[in-house]
Amino acid sequence: EQPKHKIRFSAAAGADAGVREFRLVTPQGLSTVGQLLVVRDPVVVETAKNNTAEEATPLKLPAAVCGAVEANEDVDYFKFTVEAGKALVFYVRSARCEDKIHDLQSHVDPIIALKNSAGVVLAANDNYFFGDPLLSYTFKTAGDYYLEVRDVRYQGNVYWQYCVEINDRPLVTTVMPAVVEAGKKTTVELVGVNLPAGARGEIEVSADAQAGPLWLAPKFGKETLNPTPVIVSRTPVTAA
């Protein structure tokens, strides 16, 4: 059995949300890449037995739901209450993180579904960001609802970890133009979910930013949204 170690991390209150990569330095050399996800909402870890709707892990939203598809045929349920007209975003990070794990031979393929109290599937999503789902849904009726998380093949592995961020904030998936100039503030069109049509925001890049791909959080009014991939240029940018 491989040795296990406990490591403590802390994130500054103003840290941007998103994935951070790290390595451990040992007498034998550097470790492979590890990944830590920084979220903006309280973290809720799945309870030990939540494989049925009757044993669902209770949620108070917004929340970042963390769990694992740890065994074959494992299905995790989470229960929450919403008011009529509430629009929520369900954003999964799981498969993309596993792509950087060198010795994990099989990878999770998560799928999520929303169900009402009668068990009827209202919406489901699979493979939005590569293998990871993204779902936006407006609840017409107030009441109790369930989020179901599983592997699409009903397979499992103790290392198949996931995080589902559930909130009512806009989520940006990309911006146009995708290239921004270092040292300037650029107005961009915001593309994503829970956004009004034609939404525009601003991305400001420091003058000493390195040219190339970078994750930056656009401003939308007074709100700072989630980091999104852009390309930083050190030469003037002309948008068509």
Side-chain angles (χ1 to χ4, degrees):
E1 183 179 355
Q2 295 181 349
K4 298 180 180 180
H5 304 279
K6 290 186 177 180
I7 305 170
R8 182 180 296 273
F9 292 92
S10 61
D16 286 338
V19 175
R20 303 292 195 279
E21 294 185 353
F22 66 91
R23 294 178 185 267
L24 300 182
V25 180
T26 74
Q28 289 75 38
L30 289 176
S31 72
T32 55
V33 173
Q35 295 176 95
L36 182 72
L37 176 61
V38 177
V39 295
R40 296 169 61 179
D41 300 313
V43 174
V44 178
V45 179
E46 66 166 320
T47 48
K49 293 183 179 180
N50 66 338
N51 294 340
T52 65
E54 291 73 22
E55 298 178 305
T57 301
L59 298 178
K60 183 178 179 181
L61 302 181
V65 176
C66 295
V69 186
E70 66 263 15
N72 289 343
E73 300 184 3
D74 181 30
V75 181
D76 294 340
Y77 283 90
F78 301 89
K79 182 179 180 179
F80 57 94
T81 304
V82 297
E83 59 193 34
K86 189 71 168 179
L88 292 176
V89 175
F90 300 80
Y91 178 35
V92 179
R93 282 190 179 92
S94 182
R96 288 170 291 170
C97 295
E98 289 186 3
D99 288 343
K100 288 201 171 184
I101 301 177
H102 295 182
D103 58 353
L104 193 61
Q105 300 303 311
S106 59
H107 289 193
V108 67
D109 186 2
I111 184 172
I112 59 173
L114 292 177
K115 296 183 176 182
N116 63 15
S117 56
V120 176
V121 175
L122 304 176
N125 189 258
D126 180 26
N127 297 342
Y128 190 98
F129 295 105
F130 298 97
D132 286 335
L134 171 65
L135 182 61
S136 177
Y137 188 80
T138 300
F139 296 85
K140 296 180 180 179
T141 306
D144 293 333
Y145 293 88
Y146 297 89
L147 172 69
E148 177 191 280
V149 184
R150 63 174 175 87
D151 180 79
V152 73
R153 304 152 299 183
Y154 285 100
Q155 295 180 2
N157 186 312
V158 68
Y159 297 111
W160 286 1
Q161 303 286 317
Y162 62 80
C163 176
V164 187
E165 295 180 66
I166 310 172
N167 55 68
D168 61 359
R169 296 188 297 271
L171 179 76
V172 179
T173 56
T174 190
V175 297
M176 298 186 297
V179 181
V180 293
E181 185 177 344
K184 288 194 174 183
K185 184 182 293 184
T186 303
T187 299
V188 294
E189 181 179 349
L190 304 174
V191 180
V193 295
N194 257 13
L195 282 164
R200 292 185 172 273
E202 292 183 334
I203 293 181
E204 188 169 5
V205 188
S206 63
D208 59 354
Q210 185 175 355
L214 195 64
W215 287 75
L216 295 174
K219 294 280 188 179
F220 181 54
K222 295 182 179 180
E223 188 174 5
T224 300
L225 303 183
N226 58 287
T228 186
V230 297
I231 299 174
V232 176
S233 172
R234 300 193 61 83
T235 57
V237 176
T238 302

